[in-house]
Amino acid sequence: MDISSVIGFLLAIGLILAAILMAEGSQLSAFVDYPSLMVVVGGAFAAGLICFALASILKMPKIAMKVFLNKTPNVAELIEQIVSLAETARRDGLLALEARVEEIEDKFIKLGVQMAVDGTRPEMIEDILRTEMEAVATRHKNGKSIMDQIGRFAPAYGMIGTLMGLIIMLGNMSDPSSIGSGMAVALITTLYGAIVSNVIFLPFAEKLGFISKQELVAMEITLRGIMAIQSGENPRVIQQKLTTFLPPNLRAESQEAA
């Protein structure tokens, strides 16, 4: 569970609700308008269907849940694991890693180690691992793109709904007492568009981008570590190389742990 995403999402919703309830004379029911919600949410998703394949749109719930249910790679632990594999290969030979393959949970590390044990040529290993990284980056980019685009469409449909409300209101000017309530309903659609965009889709898109960068950094560390192990480099040298990916304040701790 990503605590940061959960707290941020609940805090954004909570602050908006608190501001509404604390405002003098305001009622929560005054901010509920189903036709406006239909225009904003329905319109944004309809635009998304035009932009992307139906299969991609249907994956949105799974993509959105990744914002809350993701495990950020622990780079320090990853480096420690690769150095441990390097020490085994240095001490007992590259083939000794075959006995440790089953204890590796990360599929990307397991793939690299297995290819190294099988005697695959270094350039082939790098090419396969790079291709896997590109495939992962493409999938992540597509998921982020869906969130980005719908986040952009929501405010536009909010404005469309507001214009529709104003047209309806101005067409019924015979009753001046209804102008105030009509204007309020018209503006609710703009509010919905701003909330849907800036509380849900755009923040989710940015978080997906952040998660993708973290995962790709971990994969880059793994790739470089596997290549170094296969070339027979000293585990201490491998550690020095890989700790450059860590922030300066964590590098000393990583080296001491090794």
Side-chain angles (χ1 to χ4, degrees), residues 76-135:
E77 290 182 2
L78 174 61
I79 294 173
E80 184 179 344
Q81 182 180 21
I82 292 173
V83 171
S84 175
L85 293 171
E87 289 172 346
T88 299
R90 180 82 168 184
R91 182 178 61 251
D92 304 321
L94 197 58
L95 292 177
L97 293 178
E98 189 167 14
R100 298 192 58 184
V101 169
E102 293 303 320
E103 72 182 54
I104 302 173
E105 296 181 0
D106 189 290
K107 293 181 180 178
F108 191 69
I109 301 176
K110 184 178 289 189
L111 173 63
V113 171
Q114 190 64 65
M115 286 191 295
V117 170
D118 291 342
T120 308
R121 289 182 290 112
E123 58 271 21
M124 183 62 69
I125 293 177
E126 183 172 9
D127 183 58
I128 292 173
L129 294 181
R130 290 281 180 200
T131 302
E132 180 67 21
M133 289 176 64
E134 290 172 5

Side-chain angles (χ1 to χ4, degrees), residues 185-215:
V185 171
L187 292 176
I188 285 175
T189 320
T190 298
L191 175 65
Y192 283 171
I195 290 175
V196 169
S197 176
N198 296 287
V199 174
I200 302 175
F201 288 101
L202 293 184
F204 279 29
E206 290 304 311
K207 190 56 175 276
L208 289 172
F210 173 78
I211 294 170
S212 177
K213 289 178 182 177
Q214 296 286 89
E215 291 184 10

Side-chain angles (χ1 to χ4, degrees), residues 29-201:
S29 59
F31 290 84
V32 178
D33 187 70
Y34 295 109
S36 297
L37 194 63
M38 182 176 64
V39 170
V40 172
V41 178
F45 275 98
L49 284 170
I50 297 172
C51 296
F52 303 96
L54 177 61
S56 298
I57 296 297
L58 293 178
K59 292 178 182 177
M60 279 191 58
K62 184 178 180 181
I63 295 171
M65 289 307 297
K66 190 173 178 63
V67 172
F68 300 105
L69 302 176
N70 70 83
K71 185 178 180 181
T72 303
N74 189 318
V75 176
E77 290 182 2
L78 174 61
I79 294 173
E80 184 179 344
Q81 182 180 21
I82 292 173
V83 171
S84 175
L85 293 171
E87 289 172 346
T88 299
R90 180 82 168 184
R91 182 178 61 251
D92 304 321
L94 197 58
L95 292 177
L97 293 178
E98 189 167 14
R100 298 192 58 184
V101 169
E102 293 303 320
E103 72 182 54
I104 302 173
E105 296 181 0
D106 189 290
K107 293 181 180 178
F108 191 69
I109 301 176
K110 184 178 289 189
L111 173 63
V113 171
Q114 190 64 65
M115 286 191 295
V117 170
D118 291 342
T120 308
R121 289 182 290 112
E123 58 271 21
M124 183 62 69
I125 293 177
E126 183 172 9
D127 183 58
I128 292 173
L129 294 181
R130 290 281 180 200
T131 302
E132 180 67 21
M133 289 176 64
E134 290 172 5
V136 170
T138 299
R139 290 196 298 270
H140 291 175
K141 183 179 179 181
N142 290 340
K144 181 180 185 299
S145 180
I146 292 173
M147 291 291 179
D148 268 328
Q149 291 300 327
I150 294 181
R152 288 174 52 200
F153 291 134
Y157 276 92
M159 184 58 66
I160 290 172
T162 296
L163 294 174
M164 290 168 58
L166 289 175
I167 291 170
I168 294 171
M169 183 191 71
L170 293 174
N172 188 28
M173 294 292 288
S174 58
D175 183 9
S177 62
S178 66
I179 294 177
S181 59
M183 179 67 75
V185 171
L187 292 176
I188 285 175
T189 320
T190 298
L191 175 65
Y192 283 171
I195 290 175
V196 169
S197 176
N198 296 287
V199 174
I200 302 175
F201 288 101

Side-chain angles (χ1 to χ4, degrees), residues 83 90 228 232-244:
V83 171
R90 180 82 168 184
E233 291 187 21
N234 187 296
R236 179 65 63 180
V237 174
I238 294 175
Q239 184 187 35
Q240 291 289 345
K241 285 183 177 180
L242 300 184
T243 50
T244 57

